[in-house]
Amino acid sequence: MAEIMRIARDQLVAEGPAALSLRAVARQLGIVSSAIYRYVSSRDELLTLLIVEAYSDLGGQVEKAVAAAPAHPLERFTALARAVRSWALDDAARYALLFGTPVPGYAAPAALTNDAGTRVVVALFTILDQAWANGMITTAVSGSAGDQEPAIPERLGRDLEAIRQDYGISMPAELVARGFSCWSGLFGAVTFEVFGHYGPATFGDPGEIFERTIRLLATQVGLGPRCQPGGKA
């Protein structure tokens, strides 16, 4: 099975996930095409195995980086963001499998992919929730009228509350919402770089704009560079 996965990963690099072929895998293994079905029942099952493996590798790298970072939430968020970018740039083909164009006709089974697929966002929300518990972020937004965010719409509020309950999050809905904006902003920045959306000559070092982006995201979510216990920044 390990050799099947290795060949399938090579196919991702060479041709992309939409072109993944069990026949091609069997050919490279030197077996008849029907024999491959002893190991995987379909192309979709092989895609699912690749997705779970990729999510697990990404999640593991992020969790390791966060655990090695200083305890300050800004440092841990920065470590998380840099680990996502590093993994994506080192393994662009598998990043594309997870966050690129969906494979036509394939729908990832949530029961098999959700645990691995949520490891990064769980790590992010753990950082934010711990910062909230330690009084290092608040719901106030500097410069807004009365330092208050606009009221959360009722339907969004219900969704955010369900997420808080499902994941045991103690911070309020407003910070959960900011966390989701931070998550999408981080992966948007990584996706732009991995897929070349900035253009080939826009930045001499894309890492510099990434560093500015993650500092901005940290500030927007409440993890400013001077955030201290008590929620002061």
Side-chain angles (χ1 to χ4, degrees):
M1 193 63 201
E3 187 65 4
I4 291 174
M5 294 293 285
R6 183 194 67 78
I7 292 170
R9 288 193 296 271
D10 288 346
Q11 277 195 28
L12 292 179
V13 174
E15 302 180 55
L20 185 66
S21 165
L22 290 183
R23 288 180 178 273
V25 172
R27 187 163 54 248
Q28 290 189 55
L29 281 171
I31 61 176
V32 297
S33 59
S34 60
I36 195 73
Y37 294 100
R38 299 173 187 169
Y39 304 96
V40 287
S41 63
S42 65
R43 181 213 64 165
D44 284 5
E45 182 184 355
L46 183 54
L47 271 173
T48 298
L49 291 172
L50 289 167
I51 288 169
V52 171
E53 179 189 64
Y55 272 135
S56 298
D57 287 352
L58 171 59
Q61 182 161 314
V62 165
E63 291 163 359
K64 182 178 179 181
V66 170
H72 194 285
L74 178 59
E75 296 283 355
R76 289 190 167 178
F77 169 69
T78 301
L80 179 149
R82 289 172 177 167
V84 170
R85 176 177 182 262
S86 176
W87 186 87
L89 292 175
D90 288 345
D91 206 338
R94 290 205 293 167
Y95 185 84
L97 172 66
L98 300 180
F99 302 105
T101 304
V103 177
Y106 172 78
L112 299 177
T113 60
N114 271 8
D115 285 348
T118 56
R119 284 173 66 174
V120 173
V121 72
V122 166
L124 171 60
F125 276 84
T126 298
I127 293 169
L128 299 179
D129 211 32
Q130 289 174 348
W132 168 259
N134 292 328
M136 299 182 78
I137 54 176
T138 76
T139 57
V141 179
S142 179
S144 64
D147 278 352
Q148 296 295 319
E149 277 285 286
I152 295 174
E154 182 178 350
R155 182 169 60 182
L156 176 58
R158 290 196 300 269
D159 293 340
L160 294 172
E161 184 59 31
I163 292 165
R164 290 181 70 247
Q165 296 300 320
D166 287 346
Y167 288 91
I169 296 170
S170 62
M171 61 184 176
E174 171 54 38
L175 290 180
V176 178
R178 287 191 216 169
F180 274 101
S181 296
C182 182
W183 178 37
S184 62
L186 167 61
F187 277 88
V190 172
T191 295
F192 257 58
E193 185 174 357
V194 171
F195 297 151
H197 294 317
Y198 288 125
T202 304
F203 299 113
D205 180 3
E208 293 176 347
I209 193 65
F210 181 77
E211 289 295 317
R212 292 185 66 86
T213 299
I214 61 174
R215 286 197 298 272
L216 178 60
L217 290 171
T219 299
Q220 290 173 339
V221 82
L223 300 177
R226 299 187 306 278
C227 64
Q228 299 294 333
K232 297 178 181 179

